[in-house]
């Protein structure tokens, strides 16, 4: 079964410093990986996804993620954190359910990012 | 977030009430989803509709009843809920949901449901 793990419940970063939010995955076959962000009282906003190709994926709001097949990781990064980046971040992997003929996203537990001024 | 809208944004209901959540997507997508987000638990997929046909009922209690009258609208009818059903209910849509599809799911802002 497909799964993702986010080993950190919370990440604290000073504004202007680089940030990393970790995600590891376990899949059979090719992984289709996603990052979403959730601000308070809001839905999930899509940041970026890895399907195939370049291991460094660039997304919205200056975020990028590095796909590492040997380490089965897909860490989210940003060179310089902003206070407004403080939110809940979710890593997800696509799982195809053959019996039903549809895709679904398997989400990690989420990592709360706190960027301090 | 204007691509997928949800109403109401907040709902408080008693256990004997009947209410409905509404989702509308303006993205021309063919697949729509209901997710439940509870405190301290990962997001849970509840229902999937593909071209208006339900393809998944993820062991959801019958007190939750989905309806998809067309590809743009999705409802979640609620009746005789329990306090543990209090959660954020998120709607999402994607272009398609086939094996070869790598489409992104786009989410609405959610309905915060409180069951008293």
């Amino acid at each position: 079964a497909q799964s993702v793990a986010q080993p950190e419940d919370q990440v604290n970063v000073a504004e202007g410093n680089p940030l990393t939010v970790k995600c590891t995955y376990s899949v059979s076959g090719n992984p289709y990986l996603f990052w979403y962000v959730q601000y308070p009282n809001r839905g999930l906003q899509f940041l970026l996804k890895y399907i195939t190709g370049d291991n460094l994926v660039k997304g919205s709001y200056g975020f990028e993620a590095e796909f590492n097949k040997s380490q089965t990781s897909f860490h989210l990064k940003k060179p310089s954190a902003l206070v407004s980046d403080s939110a809940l971040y979710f890593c997800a992997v696509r799982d195809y359910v053959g019996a039903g003929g549809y895709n679904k996203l398997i989400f990690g537990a989420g990592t709360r990012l706190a960027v301090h001024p | 977030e204007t691509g997928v809208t949800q109403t109401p944004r907040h709902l408080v209901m008693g256990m004997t009430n009947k209410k409905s959540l509404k989702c509308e997507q303006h993205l021309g997508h063919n697949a729509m989803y209901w997710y439940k987000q509870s405190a301290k638990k990962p997001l849970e997929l509840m229902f999937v509709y593909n071209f208006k046909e339900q393809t998944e009922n993820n062991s959801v209690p019958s007190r939750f009843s989905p309806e998809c009258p067309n590809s743009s609208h999705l409802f979640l009818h609620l009746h005789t809920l329990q306090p543990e059903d209090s959660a954020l209910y998120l709607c999402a849509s994607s272009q398609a949901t086939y094996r070869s599809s790598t489409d992104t799911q786009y989410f609405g802002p959610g309905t915060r449901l409180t069951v008293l």
Side-chain angles (χ1 to χ4, degrees):
Chain A
Q2 322 285 59
S3 66
V4 291
Q6 294 180 244
E8 302 156 316
D9 290 336
Q10 178 149 337
V11 171
N12 296 300
V13 178
E15 187 174 31
N17 283 2
L19 69 87
T20 299
V21 183
K22 296 180 180 178
C23 173
T24 59
Y25 64 88
S26 175
V27 303
S28 55
N30 295 322
Y32 297 148
L33 298 160
F34 300 78
W35 275 103
Y36 287 84
V37 60
Q38 186 176 33
Y39 297 98
N41 300 314
R42 304 281 287 276
L44 274 67
Q45 294 182 28
F46 169 71
L47 282 178
L48 51 81
K49 66 181 178 183
Y50 173 82
I51 304 300
T52 186
D54 196 347
N55 289 343
L56 186 63
V57 180
K58 293 189 182 298
S60 305
Y61 312 121
F63 284 94
E64 58 189 27
E66 186 173 7
F67 173 72
N68 188 316
K69 188 174 183 178
S70 62
Q71 297 185 7
T72 62
S73 67
F74 188 56
H75 300 333
L76 182 70
K77 300 181 179 184
K78 188 174 183 181
S80 178
L82 300 172
V83 172
S84 57
D85 292 329
S86 300
L88 190 56
Y89 289 80
F90 291 95
C91 180
V93 64
R94 194 209 77 167
D95 187 19
Y96 178 72
V97 182
Y102 66 92
N103 294 320
K104 69 179 189 180
L105 291 177
I106 308 295
F107 286 90
T111 298
R112 188 163 301 281
L113 173 67
V115 182
H116 305 284
Chain B
E1 287 189 20
T2 56
V4 181
T5 58
Q6 290 186 242
T7 55
R9 294 293 306 273
H10 300 272
L11 178 63
V12 179
M13 59 186 290
M15 289 191 287
T16 58
N17 292 156
K18 291 185 180 181
K19 296 287 185 183
S20 296
L21 309 185
K22 179 183 177 181
C23 174
E24 183 174 1
Q25 58 95 1
H26 311 273
L27 301 170
H29 289 167
N30 296 301
M32 297 187 77
Y33 312 77
W34 279 117
Y35 285 85
K36 177 182 179 182
Q37 185 178 26
S38 305
K40 307 294 185 183
K41 293 177 69 175
L43 279 87
E44 305 171 59
L45 179 66
M46 299 175 71
F47 301 104
V48 180
Y49 278 82
N50 194 27
F51 290 93
K52 302 185 297 179
E53 298 296 322
Q54 184 176 318
T55 58
E56 168 71 357
N57 177 344
N58 203 20
S59 302
V60 179
S62 60
R63 57 185 183 269
F64 295 91
S65 174
E67 179 189 1
C68 188
N70 54 62
S71 294
S72 298
H73 293 87
L74 184 64
F75 294 89
L76 187 62
H77 303 300
L78 315 171
H79 64 97
T80 60
L81 294 191
Q82 304 298 312
E84 60 264 29
D85 296 322
S86 299
L88 182 67
Y89 289 85
L90 294 164
C91 173
S93 72
S94 66
Q95 179 60 45
T97 188
Y98 303 119
R99 175 187 288 275
S100 59
S101 167
T102 57
D103 298 326
T104 300
Q105 289 185 25
Y106 292 93
F107 286 78
T111 295
R112 174 69 63 186
L113 174 67
T114 302
V115 181
L116 301 177

